[in-house]
Amino acid sequence: MTTETYMNHPNFGLLFKVCPVEDNQELFTTLYAQRLFFLVTQSPAGLKFEPISRSDARLLVEIRLRMLRRTGQEEALRKLQSIHHRTFQ
């Protein structure tokens, strides 16, 4: 079973969750074009959308892939490798 997370951005519409980045931070991309990326931070004040470049987004995903390899989280690694391939290759 695949679990996907979506969020509605007021200007860019539906966003797709790529992966978690840090505590209370996740990487999202626009659903259809997957050309715009946002670092979404959750806080008591609400959500903060920070646009980031495609190369910065790719770097964040690659850092997450290395962390998953180190910690032996095979299922999460396979899922993120698939997302990485679809999004950046």
Side-chain angles (χ1 to χ4, degrees):
M1 181 175 157
T2 302
T3 302
E4 295 179 345
T5 303
Y6 299 92
M7 182 178 297
N8 195 22
H9 186 279
N11 296 325
F12 297 104
L14 208 53
L15 303 179
F16 169 73
K17 178 180 168 185
V18 177
C19 68
V21 177
E22 293 180 11
D23 290 339
N24 301 322
Q25 280 191 330
E26 297 173 318
L27 179 64
F28 281 80
T29 186
T30 50
L31 181 62
Y32 299 106
Q34 295 185 348
R35 296 285 182 232
L36 301 173
F37 293 88
F38 298 90
L39 192 57
V40 178
T41 305
Q42 298 176 16
S43 70
L47 296 174
K48 176 184 169 192
F49 292 86
E50 180 184 345
I52 63 172
S53 70
R54 182 176 177 82
S55 59
D56 287 344
R58 184 177 187 156
L59 179 63
L60 289 173
V61 172
E62 289 170 354
I63 290 169
R64 180 73 178 175
L65 284 168
R66 284 192 294 275
M67 188 278 302
L68 292 173
R69 271 190 212 100
R70 275 195 315 266
T71 58
Q73 299 178 43
E74 295 299 323
E75 184 177 339
L77 177 62
R78 281 192 303 277
K79 287 179 184 176
L80 189 54
Q81 283 173 329
S82 175
I83 291 170
H84 179 271
H85 183 71
R86 283 193 321 257
T87 306
F88 299 109
Q89 304 291 320

